[in-house]
Amino acid sequence: MDGHFLYLSAEAWKYLSMPVISAIVGYVTNVVAIKMMFHPIEFVGVWKPYLGWQGIVPRKASKMTGISVDTITESLITEDEIFGRLDPDRVAAELERPMIEMTDEITDQVMHRHHPALWEAMPQMVRAQVKRRVRNQAPAIVRELMNEVRTNVRYMFDLKGMITRVLVREKNLLNRIFLETGRDEFVFIGRSGAYFGFAFGLLQMAIWAFFQQWWLLPLFGLLVGWATNWLALKMIFNPKKPIRIGGLTFQGLFFKRQQQVAADYGSLVATQILTPQHILEEILSGPYAEKLFAMVQREVQQAIDDSASVARPFVTWTLGSDDYEQIKAEAVREVLARMPETLSHMTGYAHDAMAIQDTLVSRLQSLTPRQFEGMLRPAFEEDEWILIAVGAALGLAVGWFQLIVLFSSVFMERFGG
């Protein structure tokens, strides 16, 4: 303990550096492999796809998206469940105030635009009664629409299509699904690279002390870069079920964390993908929006006809049938234009009633190991060999560095000055 160990020879320090360098190589190659899985989002290079790189997950976005969509829609939740939890009467109650405001504004706006003199000449009592009847029709319209949507949900709402469009539109979101779901596993991959690398380095140092062949250092570098990646991936996903050996229990890290992973995944999907806002957007602008608008048009026109019966004498004397139909058509257009803003008032209730996050978490926690593996494993399986090959190439380069810089005498003996 007198500090003489600090004055070891340069040759001794070279030997002692081997496990340290090997640990660094293992760590760096594993971290680089993880980065290459997800970044860059877009291709960077000069000749796609050969000279350059794009993260494996973004590059395989279509397939990765399909896997995520299948996981959600086939194992976790369906369209029927989402809409079946919405009570038409409660939805009507949530929308009653904004619907009243909207119908009053549209009635005044359309009548002032087409027949301001008639509207102003109409007795205040009659105008109020028209508005009141329109208001009274509003909740019935909402209930009828909700019942039809629930009955024909598969023909009016495309859950798979909605999730796909959200993930394609927000490219970083697909990365987040894998990164946040496998957060601890990715940390383990980096750290395990250092641990395994250090162990390989000790073996390398012992062999090099007795067997100094020039090819040994590059070979060990290659093996460290390859083996640390390979071992880390194997330890994450194997074994799927707990195995007891002596007093120790072994299980793949990903499966051991199923409860926590389920909570993280469920929270991310519920707050970023299956949100009431995205569901509403899909209904109003998705491929089946025309069916909904046709239903709204039918119900609104019927409500106008019922409400206009109060003022039938005025309508008969003053408006022709063409004018009346034109007014109805414009009123329908106004209702459709204001639907997104009006329906947004029910998102708070929809969030609570759908309980998407709770459903996702509970079902994820009950998935079988094989089903659960499908959430994260595809990110590794796609071009996994590339990640291992990159690790091996980096390790090989470091092995040559050790040979040329640290043990130059061996290098010069083999290759000359």
Side-chain angles (χ1 to χ4, degrees):
M1 301 296 291
D2 55 3
H4 287 169
F5 73 94
L6 295 175
Y7 300 100
L8 295 173
S9 66
E11 193 69 14
W13 278 114
K14 290 178 183 179
Y15 276 86
L16 291 175
S17 71
M18 283 183 167
V20 176
I21 291 175
S22 188
I24 294 172
V25 170
Y27 177 81
V28 171
T29 54
N30 283 16
V31 170
V32 168
I34 294 169
K35 294 293 183 184
M36 291 179 66
M37 287 173 58
F38 300 101
H39 301 286
I41 298 293
E42 303 293 345
F43 178 82
V44 174
V46 294
W47 184 22
K48 187 176 183 179
Y50 304 106
L51 294 179
W53 185 255
Q54 182 181 14
I56 290 176
V57 170
R59 178 156 51 88
K60 303 280 187 176
S62 177
K63 184 172 183 178
M64 296 292 183
T65 296
I67 292 169
S68 296
V69 169
D70 289 343
T71 298
I72 295 170
T73 58
E74 294 177 9
S75 303
L76 304 180
I77 200 165
T78 65
E79 296 98 330
D80 294 308
E81 284 185 289
I82 290 174
F83 287 94
R85 296 171 179 175
L86 296 177
D87 178 14
D89 291 331
R90 178 65 187 275
V91 172
E94 291 289 327
L95 296 180
E96 183 174 4
R97 181 175 294 279
M99 287 282 286
I100 288 174
E101 294 174 358
M102 179 183 70
T103 54
D104 281 359
E105 290 177 10
I106 290 176
T107 302
D108 282 329
Q109 179 180 323
V110 172
M111 290 304 295
H112 274 113
R113 184 177 298 162
H114 285 272
H115 292 279
L118 168 66
W119 190 241
E120 291 299 330
M122 190 176 292
Q124 186 66 34
M125 182 180 66
V126 176
R127 276 190 284 171
Q129 193 170 356
V130 170
K131 287 184 180 180
R132 186 165 56 251
R133 294 196 63 162
V134 173
R135 292 175 189 170
N136 291 339
Q137 293 287 337
I141 292 175
V142 173
R143 281 192 292 271
E144 182 62 26
L145 289 174
M146 277 300 303
N147 283 321
E148 291 206 36
V149 169
R150 290 174 64 182
T151 302
N152 304 290
V153 63
R154 294 186 181 275
Y155 299 98
M156 303 189 65
F157 177 71
D158 181 8
L159 180 59
K160 282 192 173 183
M162 185 204 78
I163 299 172
T164 301
R165 279 183 280 278
V166 171
L167 290 176
V168 169
R169 184 174 66 237
E170 302 175 29
K171 294 183 179 179
N172 277 316
L173 193 52
L174 188 59
N175 269 3
R176 283 186 62 191
I177 288 177
F178 289 108
L179 283 169
E180 294 189 19
T181 299
R183 180 180 61 250
D184 288 9
E185 284 66 36
F186 294 128
V187 171
F188 168 79
I189 288 176
R191 291 176 179 172
S192 67
Y195 304 148
F196 294 144
F198 188 82
F200 277 113
L202 290 175
L203 179 61
Q204 178 190 40
M205 181 180 68
I207 295 175
W208 184 255
F210 302 99
F211 187 69
Q212 293 190 359
Q213 290 296 313
W214 69 268
W215 47 264
L216 190 63
L217 294 179
L219 176 62
F220 258 92
L222 184 148
L223 288 175
V224 169
W226 171 82
T228 53
N229 279 1
W230 183 83
L231 283 171
L233 293 176
K234 288 299 180 184
M235 290 182 68
I236 287 175
F237 296 106
N238 294 284
K240 294 179 176 60
K241 295 182 178 180
I243 295 177
R244 289 189 64 83
I245 301 178
L248 300 176
T249 301
F250 297 92
Q251 185 180 17
L253 299 179
F254 188 59
F255 304 106
K256 190 182 295 184
R257 284 200 323 115
Q258 181 163 351
Q259 301 300 303
Q260 182 57 49
V261 171
D264 293 340
Y265 187 92
S267 174
L268 178 63
V269 172
T271 58
Q272 301 296 324
I273 301 176
L274 291 181
T275 65
Q277 292 81 1
H278 284 153
I279 292 172
L280 178 60
E281 179 183 329
E282 175 67 18
I283 292 174
L284 297 180
S285 60
Y288 303 124
E290 289 185 3
K291 294 182 179 180
L292 176 67
F293 292 156
M295 288 168 47
V296 173
Q297 181 177 13
R298 184 188 70 232
E299 296 295 333
V300 171
Q301 286 182 335
Q302 182 60 48
I304 292 174
D305 286 336
D306 292 343
S307 303
S309 62
V310 179
R312 182 63 64 188
F314 295 92
V315 173
T316 303
W317 297 336
T318 313
L319 301 178
S321 59
D322 290 342
D323 274 352
Y324 179 61
E325 291 302 321
Q326 186 177 352
I327 288 174
K328 279 204 303 183
E330 182 165 341
V332 170
R333 285 195 297 272
E334 286 290 334
V335 169
L336 294 177
R338 299 188 189 202
M339 274 184 66
E341 179 185 356
T342 303
L343 294 178
S344 67
H345 289 83
M346 63 168 281
T347 54
Y349 161 69
H351 177 272
D352 294 337
M354 291 176 179
I356 290 175
Q357 182 168 335
D358 292 341
T359 300
L360 295 179
V361 171
S362 64
R363 290 184 181 168
L364 282 166
Q365 291 175 340
S366 62
L367 289 179
T368 66
R370 184 168 295 280
Q371 291 174 318
F372 192 64
E373 182 182 27
M375 292 171 49
L376 187 62
R377 183 61 172 160
F380 292 99
E381 284 183 326
E382 287 295 320
D383 295 339
E384 186 177 286
W385 68 270
I386 295 179
L387 303 179
I388 296 175
V390 167
L394 291 173
L396 179 65
V398 173
W400 277 104
F401 169 82
Q402 286 179 297
L403 177 64
I404 295 170
V405 176
L406 297 181
F407 297 96
S408 55
S409 60
V410 177
F411 176 80
M412 287 188 291
E413 182 182 328
R414 174 63 179 81
F415 296 100

